[in-house]
């Protein structure tokens, strides 16, 4: 029988503190994502999209998530094979392409 794992996140943004979204330039991209039993995550959009550079953005988290998943799978396989790991470092990066036709997408 397959195991099912549920994941929950709650995003909160408020016009009272974020400003009206009358136009693309009028509102704050800052928001908070909450996870049950874990610290809240202060987020924004990437600075190229008028976000706060001091906060994490979705693109940061996508790259970090892929890096973390790769590490966890690798160390799992090594543990099963009896290979001891003393240290692991990863320099993950992603490249997003933005164009008028398709918007934004990761190409690598």
């Amino acid at each position: 029988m397959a195991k099912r794992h549920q994941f929950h996140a709650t995003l909160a943004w408020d016009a009272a503190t974020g400003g009206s979204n009358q136009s693309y330039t009028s509102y704050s991209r800052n928001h908070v994502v909450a996870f049950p039993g874990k610290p809240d995550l202060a987020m924004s959009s990437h600075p190229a999209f008028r976000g706060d550079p001091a906060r994490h953005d979705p693109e940061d988290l996508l790259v970090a998530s892929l890096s973390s998943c790769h590490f966890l799978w690798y160390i799992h396989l090594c543990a099963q094979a009896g290979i001891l790991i003393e240290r692991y470092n990863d320099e993950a990066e992603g490249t997003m392409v933005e164009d008028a036709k398709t918007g934004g997408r990761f190409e690598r």
Side-chain angles (χ1 to χ4, degrees):
M1 176 182 244
K3 294 180 183 177
R4 298 207 186 296
H5 304 275
Q6 296 287 320
F7 302 92
H8 300 277
T10 302
L11 187 146
W13 177 89
D14 191 325
T17 56
S20 170
N21 65 321
Q22 286 179 278
S23 71
Y24 181 73
T25 60
S26 66
Y27 61 93
S28 171
R29 274 64 173 162
N30 292 355
H31 55 281
V32 174
V33 177
F35 305 91
K38 299 175 184 174
D40 290 352
L41 189 56
M43 294 192 58
S44 192
S45 62
H46 187 275
F49 308 110
R50 306 185 59 82
D52 182 344
R55 292 180 173 222
H56 294 293
D57 59 61
E59 295 80 12
D60 287 336
L61 298 183
L62 176 62
V63 171
S65 177
L66 293 171
S67 177
S68 182
C69 283
H70 182 261
F71 160 69
L72 293 168
W73 184 244
Y74 175 79
I75 203 160
H76 164 78
L77 292 175
C78 289
Q80 284 188 323
I83 300 169
L84 298 177
I85 304 298
E86 292 182 11
R87 192 172 294 109
Y88 181 99
N89 292 303
D90 183 27
E91 295 288 331
E93 64 178 50
T95 302
M96 180 184 188
V97 176
E98 179 188 2
D99 63 44
K101 184 177 179 182
T102 61
R105 63 180 168 77
F106 272 80
E107 70 174 7
R108 66 175 215 84

